[in-house]
Amino acid sequence: MSQTITAIATPFGTGAVGVVRLSGTDALNIASQVFSTQKLDNFCNATPNFMYLGKLNCNKFYDSCLAVYFKAPHSFTGEDVVEFQCHGGARLLEEVISTLIANGAVLADKGEFTKRAFLNGKYSLSQAEGIIDMINSENTASLNAGYRQMSGHLNKKVENILSQILDITASLEASLDYPEELEEEVRENLPIQLNSVKIGIKKLLDTVKLGRIIKNGINVAIIGMPNIGKSSLLNCLLGKDRAIVTDIAGTTRDTLEERVEYKGIFINFIDTAGIRDTIDTVEKIGVDKALDSAKNADIILFMLNANKAINKEELELYNKFKDKPMIKVFNKADLGKDKSHKDGIFISAKNCYNINSILDKIYNYFIDGKVDSSGDVITNLRHIEALQKTFSLIDNACFDTQNTATECILIDLKSAYFELGKITGDTASEDIIDTIFSKFCLGK
């Protein structure tokens, strides 16, 4: 990290302001060669965290801009950092970068600023991944989860479990050196200590399903007989005409997927072909895809006629998926309600009546306040894999602790520490670290 790096820190293109960042030992010296302000004889004398208005000399032109100096270690990267707030414009910013490189800086790799922050102890690896999640978030729930991860909530929980594993390991190793004094006491407490570690890991793993929903949304398949109003319902949910609606049964031949954000969570709706026996080759393909969509969905919206009793075909379809989470939606409620219908939501897709009740039902079924009360959810596949491997190793260490050799238990504990440490970065390999930071955008 001996070189001073530079990159554009704002999105590429034309805008009101474009930020260029310098980080490294020579950041202040390089900045002073190109930036001047009436407030100072030399920018090397800049007061940290103070914004200066001045002139940036790019040889071919000048730009009036703002510059701020962050003194190490009190900066994002932990190094000396200078940021220029220039007028936005792709060509202008490229010239600024070229000028800084000509004065001794080098172009930063993707994610190199954040990587330096990690290597300088400003962030753990999981916190850095929280930054990626915030940048890539598309809904407010994933933004909140990313922020909590960036703020170190997950890191603290993992560090606590790592500390427990380390304490148990140290006690077992000490009992090997002093078996007469320590072995009985250590063995007696071992099951309770290992179980405490398991509980901590299990609590994190229990959030995986919620984490997947926060990141990717709830997958909802809309199924039912032909011409029941599935496409009309989708249009109501979206607030626009996305699906073709006609009086002709079997209009929808393929699945149509659209998403809405509701209370910060994505709900991914899948409009499917009407399910019925058919000899039409194309329609049959659509029916098969509808059944697959229902099978793989998180929850099913089963559409029925509000003013008619369930018929034999609908009952067969219901029984096919009765073990899956399902919400009965009785459409055409404006035409009346059959007395046999008791559990479900009554709507009119024609008039978009009572549509929000469906969204509420789906949201409450999966979320039920969990997003607001606990943002500490596991959304990262790398973290899931590390936690699952750690849990398996601790579970193995728990097996018959009274009769298993201490050396064998220590092997599992040390392996568990290594796997769990990958989350924080304590035991992550250089390849893992490089791969993670390569996912960042240039300038971050």
Side-chain angles (χ1 to χ4, degrees):
M1 295 193 295
S2 58
Q3 294 178 311
T4 297
I5 57 174
T6 186
I8 301 169
T10 43
F12 183 80
T14 302
V17 177
V19 176
V20 175
R21 177 180 286 165
L22 271 168
S23 180
T25 306
D26 292 329
L28 192 59
N29 179 52
I30 293 171
S32 69
Q33 295 176 51
V34 299
F35 180 78
S36 59
T37 174
Q38 293 182 354
K39 296 286 185 180
L40 301 168
D41 293 333
N42 190 304
F43 191 66
C44 280
N45 300 320
T47 301
N49 309 319
F50 189 88
M51 192 78 77
Y52 292 90
L53 174 64
K55 186 167 59 176
L56 189 64
N57 183 357
C58 293
N59 295 323
K60 299 177 184 178
F61 67 93
Y62 289 91
D63 184 30
S64 179
C65 71
L66 295 166
V68 60
Y69 165 53
F70 301 100
K71 183 176 176 61
H74 306 296
S75 70
F76 176 74
T77 62
E79 303 173 326
D80 278 355
V81 170
V82 175
E83 289 187 357
F84 299 104
Q85 293 190 12
C86 308
H87 288 96
R91 181 63 178 156
L92 186 154
L93 295 176
E94 285 174 359
E95 288 295 337
V96 173
I97 291 294
S98 295
T99 300
L100 295 174
I101 290 173
N103 282 275
V106 297
L107 188 64
D109 289 331
K110 286 184 177 181
E112 190 170 358
F113 291 101
T114 312
K115 184 177 181 180
R116 290 191 177 197
F118 163 68
L119 294 174
N120 288 324
K122 304 294 287 187
Y123 290 97
S124 70
L125 201 55
S126 63
Q127 286 177 286
E129 287 170 302
I131 296 173
I132 300 177
D133 287 345
M134 287 197 71
I135 292 171
N136 294 331
S137 290
E138 295 180 324
N139 60 51
T140 54
S142 60
L143 270 174
N144 286 330
Y147 175 76
R148 289 182 69 85
Q149 187 171 315
M150 182 192 72
S151 300
H153 290 268
L154 172 63
N155 193 71
K156 288 178 183 177
K157 290 184 176 182
V158 172
E159 288 286 4
N160 180 56
I161 297 171
L162 284 169
S163 179
Q164 286 181 271
I165 295 173
L166 204 57
D167 287 344
I168 298 169
T169 301
S171 296
L172 285 172
E173 288 182 333
S175 73
L176 288 175
D177 294 332
Y178 306 99
E180 293 183 2
E181 294 89 346
L182 297 174
E183 186 174 21
E184 185 177 344
E185 180 183 349
V186 169
R187 284 285 184 172
E188 183 179 344
N189 295 328
L190 188 58
I192 296 173
Q193 291 175 315
L194 289 174
N195 191 55
S196 176
V197 173
K198 276 182 68 176
I199 290 171
I201 300 170
K202 181 70 163 51
K203 283 182 179 178
L204 290 174
L205 284 172
D206 285 344
T207 70
V208 167
K209 184 176 180 181
L210 179 60
R212 194 267 298 167
I213 286 172
I214 285 175
K215 200 163 191 174
N216 303 317
I218 305 166
N219 295 323
V220 182
I222 307 172
I223 68 168
M225 297 293 112
N227 216 24
I228 196 68
K230 299 182 295 298
S231 295
S232 295
L233 173 59
L234 179 66
N235 289 339
C236 285
L237 290 163
L238 299 177
K240 62 182 180 180
D241 290 337
R242 178 66 179 86
I244 297 172
V245 177
T246 73
D247 292 332
I248 303 170
T251 300
T252 303
R253 297 296 187 95
D254 201 354
T255 56
L256 180 63
E257 300 183 24
E258 287 287 341
R259 63 168 36 172
V260 297
E261 184 176 348
Y262 189 70
K263 296 183 179 179
I265 296 290
F266 280 135
I267 303 179
N268 309 312
F269 290 102
I270 308 161
D271 181 23
T272 66
I275 299 173
R276 64 176 177 179
D277 291 330
T278 179
I279 59 173
D280 185 302
T281 303
V282 177
E283 187 179 0
K284 188 176 187 307
I285 293 172
V287 170
D288 289 340
K289 291 183 74 172
L291 294 171
D292 285 340
S293 296
K295 181 180 178 182
N296 297 319
D298 296 313
I299 191 168
I300 292 171
L301 292 185
F302 184 26
M303 288 196 72
L304 299 156
N305 262 318
N307 61 333
K308 296 180 181 178
I310 296 178
N311 60 37
K312 180 182 177 182
E313 290 77 14
E314 289 170 331
L315 186 59
E316 288 176 355
L317 182 59
Y318 169 79
N319 288 331
K320 190 184 292 289
F321 297 107
K322 65 181 180 180
D323 294 329
K324 284 188 69 70
M326 182 186 295
I327 299 172
K328 292 178 184 177
V329 178
F330 297 104
N331 189 26
K332 306 178 184 180
D334 51 314
L335 301 178
K337 300 177 183 178
D338 189 278
K339 293 180 180 179
S340 63
H341 302 321
K342 295 179 181 179
D343 59 326
I345 299 173
F346 290 86
I347 69 161
S348 171
K350 180 181 178 181
N351 304 317
C352 291
Y353 162 74
N354 205 28
I355 300 302
N356 273 1
S357 294
I358 296 174
L359 296 172
D360 279 332
K361 188 79 171 179
I362 294 169
Y363 180 89
N364 292 331
Y365 189 94
F366 287 95
I367 306 304
D368 194 23
K370 295 173 187 173
V371 171
D372 293 330
S373 64
S374 176
D376 301 321
V377 293
I378 306 300
T379 61
N380 188 299
L381 290 175
R382 190 180 73 83
H383 300 170
I384 295 170
E385 182 179 344
L387 286 165
Q388 288 173 337
K389 287 182 178 179
T390 304
F391 185 86
S392 178
L393 287 161
I394 296 297
D395 191 48
N396 194 50
C398 286
F399 180 74
D400 197 12
T401 54
Q402 293 302 313
N403 297 311
T404 303
T406 299
E407 291 84 353
C408 293
I409 296 174
L410 280 169
I411 290 173
D412 286 329
L413 286 173
K414 289 177 180 179
S415 297
Y417 186 92
F418 178 79
E419 291 297 335
L420 193 61
K422 290 179 181 178
I423 294 178
T424 60
D426 292 347
T427 60
S429 68
E430 189 173 340
D431 287 343
I432 290 175
I433 293 169
D434 289 342
T435 299
I436 288 170
F437 289 107
S438 68
K439 296 176 183 177
F440 278 74
C441 53
L442 195 64
K444 191 56 184 170

